[in-house]
């Protein structure tokens, strides 16, 4: 998926303009990059187009924080939109998971489940049918 298409999907799903969709996406990807392990952030970044990949890898990775803190960090990073961090997070995360291959999707889902982020995953509208794999398999 190209960067413009990914941002357009975020824009459509959040009913935000193009700049706001880019801002929401940046905020979520930066926070996601902080929470994922360095290897997983790099693997996911390799599948994202353009500057979106940089948002995952520019900061410090592997930080430990709760699902609530994830949402709070997204809220703090968003500059141009009124969408709450929860809605922005689920929209962008779902769109990103749709944009990557199945093995990468499974790896991200696996990490989020280990972090206790099931609620955030459950609210995405991405197809997360990874139940046939064993834990840690991706």
């Amino acid at each position: 998926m190209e960067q413009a298409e990914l941002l357009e999907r975020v824009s459509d799903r959040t009913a935000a303009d193009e700049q706001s969709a880019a801002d929401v996406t940046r905020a979520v990807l930066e926070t996601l990059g902080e929470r994922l392990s360095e290897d997983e952030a790099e693997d996911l970044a390799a599948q994202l187009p353009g500057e979106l990949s940089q948002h995952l890898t520019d900061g410090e990775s592997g930080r430990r924080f709760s699902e609530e803190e994830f949402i709070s960090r997204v809220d703090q990073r968003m500059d141009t939109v009124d969408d709450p961090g929860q809605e922005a997070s689920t929209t962008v995360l779902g769109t990103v998971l749709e944009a990557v291959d199945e093995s990468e999707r499974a790896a991200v889902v696996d990490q989020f489940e280990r972090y206790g982020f099931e609620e955030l995953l459950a609210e995405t509208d991405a197809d997360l049918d990874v139940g046939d794999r064993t834990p840690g398999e991706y």
Side-chain angles (χ1 to χ4, degrees):
M1 180 181 303
E2 296 296 320
Q3 180 172 325
E5 181 182 359
L6 192 143
L7 292 176
E8 182 178 331
R9 286 186 186 187
V10 171
S11 177
D12 290 346
R13 291 172 179 175
T14 60
D17 62 36
E18 187 177 312
Q19 180 56 47
S20 294
D23 182 52
V24 165
T25 302
R26 176 198 47 79
V28 173
L29 291 178
E30 285 176 357
T31 307
L32 182 59
E34 285 180 338
R35 188 60 179 96
L36 293 174
S37 69
E38 183 176 356
D39 289 343
E40 187 55 44
E42 289 174 1
D43 289 348
L44 182 58
Q47 293 196 25
L48 293 180
E51 68 186 39
L52 297 179
S53 63
Q54 294 172 343
H55 298 313
L56 281 165
T57 57
D58 281 347
E60 183 179 335
S61 59
R63 294 179 151 182
R64 295 182 181 263
F65 48 82
S66 68
E67 188 173 45
E68 292 78 24
E69 178 65 17
F70 185 95
I71 302 301
S72 176
R73 288 175 185 227
V74 170
D75 272 329
Q76 292 171 11
R77 285 190 163 110
M78 291 192 305
D79 296 327
T80 61
V81 293
D82 295 326
D83 289 331
Q86 177 89 20
E87 181 181 334
S89 296
T90 58
T91 299
V92 173
L93 182 59
T95 305
V96 166
L97 290 173
E98 290 172 356
V100 299
D101 67 34
E102 188 174 330
S103 66
E104 190 57 38
R105 183 179 315 122
V108 172
V109 168
D110 187 61
Q111 284 211 351
F112 265 48
E113 288 174 347
R114 280 190 264 149
Y115 303 156
F117 286 19
E118 290 89 357
E119 185 176 329
L120 191 60
L121 284 172
E123 292 180 16
T124 67
D125 53 1
D127 179 18
L128 299 176
D129 185 21
V130 292
D132 294 336
R133 64 184 170 78
T134 58
E137 176 187 15
Y138 35 88

